[in-house]
Amino acid sequence: MSAPVIQLRDLAKTYQTGGVSVAAVRGVTLDIRRGDFVAVMGASGSGKSTLMNTLGCLDQPTRGNYLLNGVGVAGLDRRQLAELRNRQLGFVFQSFNLLARTSALENVELPMLYAMPVISRRERRQRAIAALARVGLAERHDHFPSQLSGGQQQRVAIARALVNRPELVLADEPTGNLDSRTSIEIMGLFQELNASGMTLVMVTHELDVAAYCQRIIVMRDGEILRDTRNENPRSAAAEIRALDQAERRASHN
Ligand code: ADP
Ligand code: MG
């Protein structure tokens, strides 16, 4: 079997601010295999974002080891980390983080501008078009974020996260700003991407949302409290079909 995408060994992160030290993550050991779909849950302040920032190579741990795809992250310099982030990781955020005066297509092209080796303008365009089609937004290339719904903006952000064909997608509360139906649609998109082999780790506050994932990790006070397989994940596609049917019945009455 291939090495896990993520191997964490006794990982810890302590912040020092104004003479006070906060142990945000306190000795986490964890493997995540290729093709897994993991929810990270826990109360506010339990260390979820700190853990995600470490996984995303946005922040260095103060102790322990992190192997991404078998490669130790600790030894890399800033430039190597930036390259690794760009090539192997995709990020999705609660607030979408799209550039406002930039079309959907250009937002998706952005991560390819910094890719090494260089990707030609023509290929950037083709790949962005394909990524937008993959998230169901083929008709929205020229729209600015302000002309898109929240769910559509999140789809653009997901297309942007996918466009460099990352090893791993990290999402911090990706449905936090969406209504319940749109949240199910976004979880359906994640389930589709996962079914096609993408490894996903997402933070969520809501058990309802975590129920679509294959594995649920609960953090408390910077440690893993529970790590369980979800034997029977909810199916977003089935739920959307049921919602559509109910709507059709309602409109016939
Ligand atoms: P969660 O995402 O689960 O809400 P965080 O990882 O954001 O938790 O925070 C964990 C702990 O670390 C909290 O006590 C928080 O105040 C602290 N913390 C997070 N980021 C920083 C930082 N940049 N500087 C100092 N303390 C921080
Ligand atoms: Mg957080």
Side-chain angles (χ1 to χ4, degrees), residues 99-243:
L99 294 185
R101 292 169 191 288
T102 308
S103 72
L105 197 62
E106 286 165 342
N107 265 288
V108 176
E109 284 180 353
L110 222 67
M112 292 185 286
L113 287 177
Y114 318 116
M116 291 301 260
V118 170
I119 302 171
S120 73
R121 197 187 152 85
R122 187 192 163 90
E123 189 183 345
R124 287 202 302 267
R125 183 62 34 129
Q126 283 170 346
R127 276 167 62 173
I129 289 170
L132 278 175
R134 194 168 181 199
V135 301
L137 281 183
E139 319 288 282
R140 295 284 189 282
H141 292 173
D142 300 328
H143 287 58
F144 294 117
S146 61
Q147 299 169 315
L148 297 169
S149 70
Q152 289 170 334
Q153 289 181 61
Q154 193 60 299
R155 284 172 190 274
V156 174
I158 293 169
R160 181 184 58 187
L162 295 177
V163 81
N164 278 338
R165 301 166 185 143
E167 197 59 56
L168 172 70
V169 171
L170 299 168
D172 201 344
E173 304 258 10
T175 62
N177 284 347
L178 304 175
D179 63 65
S180 62
R181 182 192 167 111
T182 308
S183 296
I184 301 172
E185 287 171 354
I186 292 296
M187 291 312 295
L189 178 55
F190 282 141
Q191 285 187 321
E192 258 176 54
L193 295 168
N194 176 243
S196 73
M198 178 73 72
T199 312
L200 288 148
V201 181
M202 66 172 279
V203 169
T204 180
H205 266 89
E206 296 169 79
L207 201 50
D208 270 7
V209 172
Y212 295 98
C213 302
Q214 294 175 2
R215 178 179 175 187
I216 302 177
I217 290 173
V218 181
M219 293 191 69
R220 189 173 68 188
D221 298 336
E223 294 177 304
I224 292 181
L225 177 66
R226 271 201 311 277
D227 182 354
T228 49
R229 280 274 139 210
N230 181 14
E231 297 301 344
N232 206 356
R234 292 170 66 169
S235 161
E239 289 173 14
I240 291 292
R241 278 196 299 275
L243 285 173

Side-chain angles (χ1 to χ4, degrees), residues 7-102:
Q7 291 172 279
L8 298 182
R9 293 295 173 269
D10 193 29
L11 192 98
K13 175 72 187 182
T14 300
Y15 292 107
Q16 304 285 352
T17 30
V20 183
S21 74
V22 177
V25 173
R26 304 191 297 174
V28 165
T29 292
L30 177 68
D31 281 359
I32 296 177
R33 295 214 158 265
R34 183 156 293 113
D36 213 346
F37 186 5
V38 183
V40 178
M41 302 196 70
S44 176
S46 59
K48 305 181 298 293
S49 292
T50 302
L51 182 70
M52 293 293 271
N53 288 344
T54 310
L55 293 180
C57 304
L58 297 162
D59 210 349
Q60 288 280 10
T62 37
R63 188 186 78 217
N65 279 316
Y66 172 20
L67 302 188
L68 175 59
N69 230 352
V71 175
V73 168
L76 306 180
D77 63 28
R78 286 174 76 89
R79 196 189 50 80
Q80 289 170 316
L81 282 173
E83 206 175 296
L84 179 128
R85 268 201 304 277
N86 189 260
R87 195 150 26 91
Q88 303 211 29
L89 301 171
F91 296 91
V92 178
F93 305 93
Q94 177 171 359
S95 49
F96 322 134
N97 292 10
L98 300 174
L99 294 185
R101 292 169 191 288
T102 308

